[in-house]
């Protein structure tokens, strides 16, 4: 196999891998780097000769995997795009939202090249999408050679898949973003355990040790108790979430908590994209066995859209639970604006339920001590930290030890470390030292012969 990581910044960002196996050329994912805008946020598609791909695989619909797929597909119009049914449903809403975000960035950041693609590119992409059932191999033939590819349920988010590639010569497994634990709405991953030649593994949590007393289920219990306490003392809870996946998981968790009376009944406010995606989750759940979700949950908890004009720093219009994006409290998003209104009141709580990059406002808030000032630079607002700030370990990614155990079971000859920051990859490299496999931490844009 030949492997090239086309994410020019390394770490986690504009995910896109170029692979060659048994004479077939294919790309896995094509994302946008969340910390950049415009062409800087793109993978290096220029390394792929125009219309040279035999196929493209999309593992799931988070924008760091999906966001630049319309461009890669436009440059490779003959390549079918293989994905799960769930991803074929979700990608439509995510990509049309991505166009709206790019149009806004064009105005706000003055980047004339935005949007990078338009509605016409999306229609062309959809016509190239070929949904595959999970765990059902597909054989592709070309010039007397064949390659078998299988999407394996990956648990991470609705529609997420790992990928098995098999030829006469070799067998490879690409984890994609992977979660073994069951979630409220989604079963965990059960990857095939047949030995492989090449394992490309995500390493997201390589630098994060899980405290044994903080298993996923305890974290949910602790989160509910903290929301309950906040509401009982007259405060509001802000839960910054990713619109895709975490929002819907939290809706179901809150519905259970209201039903058990663990949280007093208060309004739940949700931001737009996450509310829309509820309908897509409902549709997927109706048509596939892996997702358990009904749009009824919105009615059951009395969810309502956010008030239209939120004023930075102003008192909240109503006590409640605010379930809004972005998960890392990125500038100008509803969670950022709401935090500026809630931070100065000691009855409120700001509760993170996923990873926060240290360079984002969410990451910065998590390291600010109570009583210190916190700067909302984008809106020129400063507030003392009086609200309760907590982070709960409900990551959508497998623990590092679980991924090590998977690597052991698959007995690979080569392990490629992927989708992780440098510190995370280093932990894996060190921990795999005694394994017989060749370990590769690929440099961006360098091709490895395996
Ligand atoms: Zn993801």
């Amino acid at each position: 196999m030949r492997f090239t990581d086309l994410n020019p910044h390394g770490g986690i960002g504009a995910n896109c891998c170029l692979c060659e196996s048994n004479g077939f050329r294919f790309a896995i994912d094509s994302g946008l780097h969340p910390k950049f805008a415009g062409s800087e946020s793109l993978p290096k598609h220029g390394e792929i000769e125009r219309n040279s791909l035999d196929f493209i695989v999309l593992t799931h619909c988070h924008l760091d995997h999906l966001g630049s797929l319309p461009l890669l597909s436009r440059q490779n119009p003959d390549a079918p795009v293989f994905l799960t049914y769930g991803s074929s449903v979700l990608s439509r809403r995510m990509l049309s939202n991505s166009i709206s975000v790019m149009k806004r960035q064009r105005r706000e950041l003055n980047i004339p090249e935005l949007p990078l693609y338009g509605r016409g590119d999306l229609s062309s992409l959809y016509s190239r999408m070929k949904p595959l059932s999970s765990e059902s191999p597909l054989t592709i033939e070309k010039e007397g050679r064949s390659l078998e590819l299988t999407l394996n349920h990956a648990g991470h988010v609705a529609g997420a898949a790992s990928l098995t590639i098999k030829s006469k010569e070799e067998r490879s497994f690409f984890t994609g973003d992977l979660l073994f634990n069951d979630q409220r709405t989604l079963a965990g991953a059960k990857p095939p355990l047949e030995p492989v030649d090449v394992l490309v593994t995500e390493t997201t949590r390589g630098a994060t040790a899980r405290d044994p007393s903080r298993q996923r289920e305890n974290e949910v219990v602790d989160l509910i108790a903290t929301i309950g306490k906040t509401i009982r003392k007259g405060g509001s809870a802000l839960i910054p979430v990713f619109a895709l996946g975490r929002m819907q998981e939290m809706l179901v968790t809150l519905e259970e908590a209201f039903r058990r009376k663990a949280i007093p009944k208060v309004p739940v406010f949700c931001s737009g994209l996450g509310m829309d995606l509820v309908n897509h989750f409902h549709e997927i759940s109706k048509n596939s066995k892996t997702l358990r979700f009904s749009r009824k949950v919105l009615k059951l908890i009395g969810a309502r859209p956010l008030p239209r004009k939120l004023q930075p720093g102003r008192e909240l219009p109503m006590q409640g639970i605010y379930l809004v994006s972005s998960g890392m409290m990125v500038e100008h998003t509803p969670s950022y604006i709401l935090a500026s209104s809630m931070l100065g009141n000691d009855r409120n709580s700001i509760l993170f339920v996923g990873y926060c990059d240290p360079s984002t406002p969410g990451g910065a808030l998590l390291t600010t001590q109570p009583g210190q000032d916190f700067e909302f630079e984008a809106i020129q607002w400063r507030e003392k930290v009086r609200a309760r700030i907590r982070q709960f370990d409900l990551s959508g990614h497998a623990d590092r030890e679980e991924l090590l155990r998977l690597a052991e079971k698959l007995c690979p000859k080569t392990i490629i470390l992927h989708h992780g920051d440098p510190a995370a990859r280093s932990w894996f490299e060190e921990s795999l030292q005694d394994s017989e496999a060749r370990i590769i931490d690929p440099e961006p844009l360098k091709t490895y012969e395996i």
Side-chain angles (χ1 to χ4, degrees):
M1 187 170 86
R2 297 178 86 194
F3 178 93
T4 316
D5 184 357
L6 298 183
N7 170 18
H9 301 281
I12 301 176
N15 288 291
C16 186
C17 307
L18 172 64
C19 304
E20 280 174 60
S21 179
N22 198 30
F24 289 82
R25 215 155 193 255
F26 56 98
I28 303 173
D29 291 338
S30 186
L32 282 176
H33 200 301
K35 286 195 215 153
F36 301 99
S39 48
E40 225 193 321
S41 64
L42 292 173
K44 287 280 179 232
H45 290 154
E47 303 288 310
I48 304 174
E49 206 180 307
R50 240 186 133 70
N51 216 9
S52 68
L53 292 179
D54 294 299
F55 59 91
I56 300 171
V57 176
L58 175 70
T59 62
H60 68 287
C61 289
H62 283 141
L63 283 182
D64 58 328
H65 296 260
L66 164 72
S68 62
L69 185 58
L71 293 177
L72 181 62
S73 180
R74 184 168 78 193
Q75 290 151 12
N76 290 273
D78 296 336
V81 177
F82 297 122
L83 73 181
T84 62
Y85 162 71
S87 289
S88 75
V89 173
L90 294 169
S91 56
R92 291 165 193 258
R93 186 66 190 86
M94 294 302 285
L95 286 171
S96 72
N97 186 67
S98 177
I99 292 183
S100 312
V101 170
M102 287 192 281
K103 283 183 176 165
R104 205 183 60 220
Q105 286 176 330
R106 179 192 168 96
R107 288 193 307 273
E108 285 172 1
L109 307 174
N110 195 19
I111 307 177
E113 70 200 22
L114 292 177
L116 297 166
Y117 45 85
R119 308 267 159 205
D121 295 311
L122 300 194
S123 315
S124 309
L125 168 65
Y126 302 149
S127 70
R128 295 177 198 124
M129 283 184 170
K130 306 278 177 260
L132 302 180
S133 301
S134 295
E135 326 304 332
S136 305
L138 171 80
T139 303
I140 307 169
E141 313 268 354
K142 181 180 131 183
E143 296 155 10
R145 297 165 191 258
S146 72
L147 197 73
E148 185 187 281
L149 74 95
T150 313
L151 298 180
N152 308 104
H153 176 72
H156 169 66
V157 74
S162 303
L163 170 68
T164 304
I165 294 279
K166 208 167 116 186
S167 71
K168 247 193 205 157
E169 290 159 16
E170 63 187 4
R171 184 185 173 100
S172 315
F173 184 70
F174 300 79
T175 63
D177 290 6
L178 189 69
L179 179 66
F180 294 100
N181 288 108
D182 289 340
Q183 303 182 67
R184 292 285 190 282
T185 58
L186 195 62
K190 289 192 182 64
L193 296 178
E194 282 168 63
V196 299
D197 298 288
V198 184
L199 168 66
V200 182
T201 182
E202 70 131 306
T203 57
T204 316
R205 286 174 61 92
T208 316
R210 183 180 282 279
D211 176 344
S213 68
R214 297 184 66 185
Q215 293 305 314
R216 199 178 179 88
E217 208 38 52
N218 306 343
E219 292 294 276
V220 176
V221 172
D222 193 5
L223 170 68
I224 296 299
T226 310
I227 301 171
K229 239 184 260 168
T230 304
I231 302 300
R232 275 185 215 100
K233 66 179 185 192
S236 290
L238 167 62
I239 309 174
V241 283
F242 282 118
L244 173 62
R246 194 43 49 91
M247 162 90 88
Q248 295 74 23
E249 184 71 17
M250 284 308 307
L251 285 170
V252 175
T253 307
L254 287 176
E255 192 276 318
E256 276 176 25
F258 284 137
R259 203 164 4 105
R260 288 190 291 106
K261 303 199 167 27
I263 302 176
K265 199 81 183 69
V266 285
V268 178
F269 296 93
C270 304
S271 46
L273 176 61
M275 287 270 248
D276 279 1
L277 284 166
V278 159
N279 292 318
H280 297 75
F281 271 59
H282 182 88
E283 188 184 333
I284 297 167
S285 179
K286 247 181 19 194
N287 297 316
S288 91
K289 281 182 230 126
T290 49
L291 189 66
R292 298 175 292 265
F293 188 86
S294 164
R295 64 161 76 97
K296 274 193 208 139
V297 70
L298 287 182
K299 220 181 214 157
L300 288 172
I301 65 171
R304 53 182 92 177
L306 273 178
R308 273 209 168 260
K309 277 247 173 263
L310 290 171
Q311 296 288 341
R314 291 276 177 79
E315 189 80 4
L316 289 179
M318 205 189 268
Q319 189 200 15
I321 299 169
Y322 291 78
L323 192 58
V324 298
S325 54
S326 82
M328 300 195 201
M329 239 176 74
V330 167
E331 290 87 351
H332 302 296
T333 59
S335 63
Y336 184 79
I337 306 291
L338 279 165
S340 72
S341 297
M342 295 175 68
L343 193 59
N345 183 336
D346 64 1
R347 287 185 299 179
N348 294 333
S349 299
I350 301 180
L351 309 170
F352 293 92
V353 290
Y355 172 73
C356 274
D357 186 289
S359 69
T360 60
L365 181 57
L366 281 165
T367 55
T368 310
Q369 297 302 313
Q372 278 182 348
D373 280 347
F374 185 80
E375 209 72 55
F376 291 88
E377 281 168 36
I379 50 172
Q380 288 154 3
W381 187 266
R382 181 188 294 168
E383 195 65 78
K384 259 198 189 2
V385 178
R386 293 201 178 89
R388 189 186 172 94
I389 313 295
R390 289 276 312 269
Q391 187 174 30
F392 298 86
D393 193 349
L394 291 168
S395 168
H397 294 269
D399 286 352
R400 57 190 191 175
E401 286 80 10
E402 292 176 310
L403 287 170
L404 275 190
R405 282 200 291 277
L406 177 67
E408 248 168 56
K409 283 181 188 154
L410 296 182
C411 310
K413 297 188 185 92
T414 304
I415 301 176
I416 299 177
L417 305 176
H418 193 240
H419 199 282
D421 291 328
R425 294 175 190 228
S426 300
W427 183 87
F428 274 93
E429 200 162 9
E430 227 160 82
S431 306
L432 289 163
Q433 240 176 27
D434 296 335
S435 106
E436 310 221 317
R438 171 186 174 204
I439 313 295
I440 300 176
D441 178 4
E443 261 173 57
L445 312 180
K446 184 171 161 186
T447 298
Y448 292 82
E449 301 277 350
I450 295 153

